[in-house]
Amino acid sequence: MDKYGLIGYPLGHSFSINYFNQRFADEGINAKYMNFEIPTIDDLAEVLDSNPELKGLNVTIPYKQKVMEYLDSISPEARAIGAVNVIRVTHVGNEIKLKGFNSDVIGFTQSIEPMLEDCHKKALILGTGGASKAIDYGLKSLGLETVFVSRYRRPETICYEDITPEVIKEYNVIVNCTPLGMFPKTEECPALPYEAMDEHTILYDLIYNPDETLFMKKGAERGANVKNGLEMLLLQAFASWEFWNGKE
């Protein structure tokens, strides 16, 4: 039986294990998806050694960047983004070859593109973690100009206190790549002037639990077009399967 799995730490909230095992059951695929909760990326070698049937892995927080130095090859897109969340595992004789890909960018661009109109030219990316790099790459590939927003002053980013109502009008696509609003801390949201939003504003939240975050709710009350991360997750899971099976 082929094996697939997820590496990260912690993994209590993982969507992938239910999605893939249900898919394998529905489609009669003789495979199993497992969670490999590893406290350090160095444990990847042990996961590979003790699971010779492994054909592919997904990678989540906090290893999307750290895992890159363990790979034999990386797709040009993942290298440009600087993060890997899919690994194809190939056995060549006694050797294991690992190739890294990024499905975040595929899932995100396919999900947000139908929402975009001519008035959407500039975007704010909230957060600077691994996922934000793929979001930046995806938005730029769709022709948008981007600015990162951080809680701290750092090069090439702005802080939340810099976001005025005027900035909201100009940068009317806002993508939340932070954990603010994720279950169980559902009463939190990024500090933004929501009152400046209107029907031209797009709020996209990578969070999918809860269905509607406070970030989305406060924007929707002003007429903003909002979407959570569930469709992106489904699309990137589909892309993972394509990568594992050699379709690039």
Side-chain angles (χ1 to χ4, degrees), residues 68-141:
M68 293 174 78
E69 58 194 80
Y70 292 79
L71 307 177
D72 298 291
S73 57
I74 297 171
S75 74
E77 199 166 56
R79 192 172 290 288
I81 293 162
V84 160
N85 73 326
V86 181
I87 300 170
R88 183 197 298 148
V89 182
T90 312
H91 298 266
V92 185
N94 293 329
E95 281 192 81
I96 298 172
K97 295 288 183 192
L98 305 176
K99 181 164 185 178
F101 303 89
N102 192 300
S103 67
D104 281 339
V105 69
I106 298 168
F108 173 69
T109 49
Q110 288 179 353
S111 181
I112 198 169
E113 191 170 20
M115 302 173 75
L116 299 173
E117 296 171 7
D118 292 340
C119 64
H120 300 119
K121 304 248 190 313
K122 296 183 178 183
L124 297 176
I125 300 170
L126 311 182
T128 53
S132 69
K133 313 273 191 300
I135 300 313
D136 181 49
Y137 187 95
L139 287 167
K140 283 176 174 163
S141 75

Side-chain angles (χ1 to χ4, degrees), residues 14-32:
S14 165
F15 158 91
S16 303
I17 190 165
N18 294 335
Y19 170 82
F20 280 109
N21 284 324
Q22 187 63 53
R23 181 173 177 182
F24 296 155
D26 291 347
E27 298 183 22
I29 297 167
N30 186 27
K32 181 181 180 184

